[in-house]
Amino acid sequence: MTVVDASPARWAAEAWLLGFARALRAAGLLVTADRERTFLLALAEVGLAERRDVYWTGRATLTSSPADIERYDQVFTSWFSAEQPTQLRRPEREVPPATQAALEEGAGGAGEDAGEESVHARASGREVLRHRDVATLGVEERRALAQLFGRLHPRAPRRRARRHVRSRLGQIDGPATLREQLRRMGEPGRIHHRSRGSRPRRVVLLIDVSGSMSAYADSLLRLAHAFVQAAGPRGSVEVFTMGTRLTHVTRALRERDPDRALVAAGEAVPDWSGGTRLGESIGAFLDRWGRRGMARGAVVVVFSDGWEREGPQLLGEQMRRLAALAHRVVWSNPHRGKAGYQPVQQGIAAALPHIDDFVAGHSFATFEELIEVVARA
């Protein structure tokens, strides 16, 4: 099998291999579209002649933790043959016995060094985790990442208010200056100034929870929870999920505890990991909420990979309507920051002319950058 081969046999082999990858996803493994592509490219180099090569190639590219191996073996066995893949397992290596030494009293210096190394190791591990693709994280890594979301403090963008406030510079505040003169019985006094005040600008988050975005949905909802909590109970942040329908989940995310908020949001959303109708969902948002004021002058952030089940023409038209109402439109794509990515999907190509900021959205570090983009909007 070669990547450039366009023969029917090549397409049949790819469909067969993609079926195996999707069977793994159905079994609970975090198999993303990027991993499927890596799996096919790796097998193009390794070849399909040896079952052992297929096994280890899939295990290297489609699993993310040792906990996935048992389910991977079961799916591999049922998909490729009736044999158990035990003969394909690597031989267990003998672990050399660890050399230990008792710590005597007074050896505090070594303990302090070990403590410093432990702190550095934790800091280094946290920094690595910040840049990892959240779709590839294991269970323990996701728990560590959830703690990092608690440290986010999104700032709302500001807009000019109609009312004026006192300031040291700006235009002269005639009434305040006159009152000062009257208090001083006509004697010259300080000249007061005023300027236009500011108020938070509304932020609207539209989160794609379809099957192609399911590996990112948990992290995106945690990010949305951070936005809602930072804005306060009367804040100007609204959150919607998009799938086969549009769901308003702001009330669920006002729960202070993030885990309980995600459970409440999950109960409210009926179309997890299903199809996606981006054009229809954005159109429903505009018709029911956007034109009535929610999108007017707001910063609207769309979280999606751009895969559209319907034609791209509808998505392009709805994005045009959205851009006409919103102050700024930001699109966060999990594939944007990955090497070799090109926005060639029909949905993204139709939406790009109406997007102000096209940013990455696959790691905690890119979420931090997105927060800054929204704050400066």
Side-chain angles (χ1 to χ4, degrees):
M1 183 185 73
T2 60
V3 175
V4 296
D5 181 14
S7 64
R10 178 244 177 169
W11 294 114
E14 283 196 356
W16 178 55
L17 295 171
L18 282 174
F20 169 59
R22 288 163 186 171
L24 290 173
R25 182 188 302 155
L29 274 66
L30 292 175
V31 179
T32 63
D34 285 341
R35 288 190 171 185
E36 291 178 353
R37 181 172 178 271
T38 304
F39 176 53
L40 294 179
L41 291 176
L43 282 178
E45 298 295 330
V46 174
L48 299 174
E50 295 291 335
R51 181 168 171 266
R52 176 188 299 271
D53 295 337
V54 176
Y55 174 85
W56 286 111
T57 301
R59 180 163 160 178
T61 56
L62 300 176
T63 62
S64 57
S65 69
D68 294 341
I69 295 176
E70 182 178 356
R71 281 180 292 176
Y72 174 84
D73 288 348
Q74 293 173 353
V75 175
F76 184 91
T77 300
S78 61
W79 190 267
F80 288 97
S81 71
E83 300 178 8
Q84 294 291 337
T86 52
Q87 71 272 21
L88 300 177
R89 297 183 181 273
R90 292 176 179 171
E92 298 290 339
R93 293 184 299 174
E94 294 185 1
V95 180
T99 303
Q100 299 178 345
L103 294 179
E104 298 181 2
E105 296 183 2
E112 292 174 3
D113 292 341
E116 292 179 1
E117 291 178 2
S118 176
V119 170
H120 287 310
R122 286 197 298 270
S124 176
R126 187 179 301 118
E127 184 63 21
V128 171
L129 186 62
R130 286 181 61 250
H131 295 276
R132 288 277 303 278
D133 187 335
V134 298
T136 66
L137 300 181
V139 176
E140 294 300 324
E141 292 170 320
R142 286 181 176 272
R143 290 176 182 170
L145 185 67
Q147 296 179 357
L148 292 182
F149 277 103
R151 303 181 182 182
L152 291 178
H153 300 287
R155 306 187 312 277
R158 309 293 296 183
R159 64 185 304 175
R160 295 184 69 186
R162 294 183 178 181
R163 294 185 177 181
H164 290 78
V165 295
R166 288 188 178 184
S167 66
R168 300 181 62 182
L169 299 174
Q171 66 184 31
I172 295 177
D173 188 347
T177 302
L178 181 58
R179 287 194 297 269
E180 178 73 16
Q181 299 250 348
L182 292 175
R183 281 195 298 268
R184 298 172 62 90
M185 303 298 293
E187 293 291 331
R190 182 169 66 91
I191 297 177
H192 293 267
H193 296 80
R194 67 178 185 174
S195 62
R196 293 278 290 274
S198 65
R199 57 182 299 181
R201 188 181 293 278
R202 179 178 287 108
V203 177
V204 179
L205 309 179
L206 305 177
I207 302 175
D208 184 352
V209 295
S210 62
S212 61
M213 289 288 293
S214 60
Y216 299 94
D218 179 86
S219 296
L220 293 178
L221 284 174
R222 289 185 183 276
L223 177 63
H225 179 262
F227 270 98
V228 171
Q229 293 300 310
R234 295 186 178 180
S236 52
V237 176
E238 301 290 342
V239 185
F240 297 82
T241 61
M242 300 184 297
T244 56
R245 65 184 67 186
L246 184 74
T247 307
H248 194 192
V249 295
T250 306
R251 181 176 299 178
L253 295 180
R254 287 202 176 108
E255 170 70 43
R256 181 176 293 273
D257 182 81
D259 293 324
R260 295 174 67 178
L262 262 64
V263 170
E267 293 175 349
V269 177
D271 53 349
W272 286 103
S273 300
T276 177
R277 296 175 177 174
L278 292 177
E280 292 184 12
S281 296
I282 295 174
F285 164 72
L286 292 172
D287 293 338
R288 184 169 180 180
W289 289 279
R291 290 191 305 177
R292 298 181 180 180
M294 187 177 289
R296 295 185 185 276
V299 178
V300 181
V301 186
V302 181
F303 297 91
S304 177
D305 55 5
W307 288 105
E308 171 64 294
R309 194 170 75 175
E310 307 296 336
Q313 294 80 10
L314 177 60
L315 177 59
E317 174 61 22
Q318 300 306 324
M319 289 298 296
R320 183 196 63 78
R321 294 177 59 203
L322 178 62
L325 286 174
H327 169 70
R328 200 164 188 86
V329 177
V330 181
W331 191 296
S332 176
N333 189 319
H335 307 304
R336 174 71 171 88
K338 300 177 183 179
Y341 172 76
Q342 295 294 331
V344 295
Q345 295 97 338
Q346 290 184 337
I348 286 292
L352 271 179
H354 314 291
I355 296 173
D356 297 298
D357 297 287
F358 187 41
V359 300
H362 64 285
S363 66
F364 187 82
T366 60
F367 297 153
E368 292 176 319
E369 295 171 3
L370 172 66
I371 288 175
E372 294 301 317
V373 170
V374 172
R376 295 193 303 265

